[in-house]
Amino acid sequence: MNFREIMVSSSSGPYAIRLGNGIREQIPDLLQTLGFPKNEKVGLISNETVRVLHANALSSRLEKKGYPVVNFDFHDGESYKTMDSVMSCLDKLLSVKWERKNPLIVLGGGVTGDMGGFVGSVLLRGVPVIHVPTTVVGQVDSSIGGKTGVDHSEGKNLIGSFYPPKAVWIDPSYLETLSLRERRSGLGEVIKYAMIGDKKLLEFLDSALETLASKNFDREVWEKAIFSCASDKARIVSEDEKESGIRMNLNFGHTFGHALERVTGYQGLLHGEAVGLGMIVAARIGTLLGITEKGTEEIIVDFLQQAHLPYEWPKEIAYRDLERYLRNDKKSSSGMVTLVLPVRPGEVVRTNQYELSVLGSAIP
Ligand code: GLY
């Protein structure tokens, strides 16, 4: 089978993203090609939901091809993205005498990927990690670039490390089992890539967003959209692995999005839905500051509507509820926050630090 390949540079050397419908069947062969011999232990880290849908099948496939598999499942959901969950996984792997040469395959969405990657980065001071993302956010964003970690009661992703994987294997057909709401939520991240600089993706979404948001899952169209986003992400993290410049652009919509997720206890809005609203707020702030061109907010709203994503601010959430979490955002310091604001569709700027207290005027 022919799969698309995208190379990523990292401080630990280059790694390849392989992408294509049907890649899941090739995983044992890909593992061998990557230099992991049969008969040696492989970890398959997943979560309870993905276990039933996909991890049992992958585990059997690996065993059949001669890989002894150690399975571990996190509980499903952002509320379990904690040090306790990470410790349970470490306990299990250490109890079976894990060795540095044994790889971990991390199969799941963003939460599982972040925690599995973190386990890989601290276990025995680092074991090889291969990400096999099964959600839109995982496939277009979080599996690429080596960010790993857990949440803290003070905010999202406040504990973690940069730990580049050995490989990322993306099979868009995994998305078929997601609920329609989850799949549409992932489109919030896809729209983000178009807004921050991918002009071809902007054009593509104009014609493809309806198909991507529809109930019927179109593998080919999804593969194209994921390839565009994954290529953008690979280029950005290759240039700025540790997020000192252009990688910050990926946070477009996330400063307010993360705070929204936190304030609703990760129960109200899905990640991509919160990012969508966060992009609208960014456009409003940009407009107030004279940075964002007229019509940009309307284009974001139009994309979100086509994707069936929320575009109106939740009435029950006020700015003062968010402020505490904005203060704890990794990008804020001394009550000031660096913002990524749109200039126009396809172009964003990173602004100087703004006083958090003045940002409230962008929220109704
Ligand atoms: N998800 C944003 C980043 O990887 O930098």
Side-chain angles (χ1 to χ4, degrees):
M1 252 190 241
N2 276 338
F3 298 119
R4 302 174 197 242
E5 188 179 87
I6 305 162
M7 290 309 295
V8 187
S9 309
S10 84
S11 49
S12 314
Y15 60 93
I17 302 168
R18 284 178 196 279
L19 191 155
N21 285 296
I23 215 164
R24 60 175 111 176
E25 277 130 49
Q26 310 294 317
I27 287 177
D29 296 337
L30 289 171
L31 201 55
Q32 200 176 12
T33 310
L34 205 57
F36 297 104
K38 292 181 179 176
N39 303 317
E40 289 201 357
K41 275 200 294 276
V42 172
L44 180 53
I45 313 291
S46 192
N47 73 43
E48 296 157 333
T49 312
V50 176
R51 174 65 51 186
V52 181
L53 293 168
H54 307 299
N56 281 333
L58 179 55
S59 188
S60 308
R61 190 171 286 126
L62 285 161
E63 294 269 5
K64 252 188 222 146
K65 290 277 184 167
Y67 287 101
V69 183
V70 175
N71 293 291
F72 179 85
D73 296 327
F74 294 115
H75 294 304
D76 191 8
E78 184 80 34
S79 56
Y80 294 105
K81 195 172 157 186
T82 60
M83 286 301 281
D84 282 350
S85 302
V86 164
M87 271 317 293
S88 311
C89 184
L90 289 169
D91 288 345
K92 166 87 185 241
L93 295 168
L94 289 170
S95 75
V96 296
K97 309 276 175 274
W98 208 254
E99 293 179 56
R100 262 197 196 147
K101 64 181 179 186
N102 299 131
L104 301 179
I105 296 177
V106 183
L107 179 75
V111 173
T112 304
D114 283 6
M115 284 202 289
F118 190 48
V119 166
S121 78
V122 293
L123 178 60
L124 307 172
R125 297 210 172 90
V127 302
V129 170
I130 297 152
H131 286 295
V132 183
T134 57
T135 61
V136 183
V137 175
Q139 298 198 348
V140 302
D141 191 75
S142 60
S143 65
I144 306 160
K147 276 191 183 174
T148 81
V150 295
D151 299 333
H152 186 274
S153 56
E154 290 296 327
K156 210 174 148 155
N157 297 327
L158 294 182
I159 301 167
S161 60
F162 285 99
Y163 189 66
K166 279 276 169 276
V168 181
W169 299 330
I170 302 176
D171 188 335
S173 72
Y174 274 134
L175 306 183
E176 216 153 351
T177 53
L178 293 178
S179 70
L180 187 57
R181 182 177 171 203
E182 277 178 274
R183 220 158 52 217
R184 285 175 172 167
S185 160
L187 290 172
E189 288 282 350
V190 175
I191 294 166
K192 173 197 83 178
Y193 280 103
M195 289 299 299
I196 67 172
D198 190 335
K199 301 211 169 84
K200 277 199 190 138
L201 183 59
L202 271 176
E203 273 172 39
F204 177 70
L205 288 184
D206 262 339
S207 59
L209 203 45
E210 203 179 314
T211 309
L212 292 167
S214 79
K215 221 163 130 192
N216 297 326
F217 182 73
D218 186 321
R219 288 182 175 199
E220 309 310 321
V221 177
W222 269 100
E223 187 175 323
K224 275 190 200 153
I226 294 162
F227 181 70
S228 297
C229 300
S231 304
D232 292 339
K233 176 88 189 242
R235 182 178 41 76
I236 291 169
V237 300
S238 295
E239 190 180 323
D240 176 25
E241 182 182 18
K242 298 278 166 69
E243 202 174 17
S244 53
I246 192 171
R247 186 166 181 169
M248 287 186 217
N249 291 1
L250 295 168
N251 292 316
F252 177 50
H254 283 61
T255 304
F256 282 88
H258 281 166
L260 264 172
E261 282 181 278
R262 184 69 191 85
V263 89
T264 56
Y266 304 109
Q267 305 296 324
L269 290 163
L270 298 179
H271 178 69
E273 295 172 341
V275 167
L277 290 171
M279 290 192 284
I280 295 178
V281 176
R284 283 191 193 151
I285 294 169
T287 305
L288 286 174
L289 298 172
I291 289 171
T292 302
E293 280 181 8
K294 207 164 171 278
T296 305
E297 181 185 334
E298 288 72 14
I299 286 169
I300 297 171
V301 169
D302 192 47
F303 274 141
L304 296 178
Q305 275 181 313
Q306 282 187 62
H308 300 265
L309 289 169
Y311 56 92
E312 278 169 352
W313 191 259
K315 286 187 189 58
E316 62 283 7
I317 299 175
Y319 177 72
R320 64 178 176 281
D321 300 329
L322 296 185
E323 204 180 328
R324 162 161 178 237
Y325 299 108
L326 292 170
R327 254 175 226 294
N328 285 340
D329 188 277
K330 291 188 296 307
K331 273 81 62 186
S332 83
S333 78
S334 312
M336 313 272 273
V337 66
T338 302
L339 296 171
V340 182
L341 302 176
V343 177
R344 60 183 71 85
E347 191 180 335
V348 288
V349 283
R350 292 184 296 283
T351 63
N352 291 326
Q353 301 228 319
Y354 282 95
E355 277 280 357
L356 287 168
S357 52
V358 302
L359 304 181
S361 45
I363 293 180

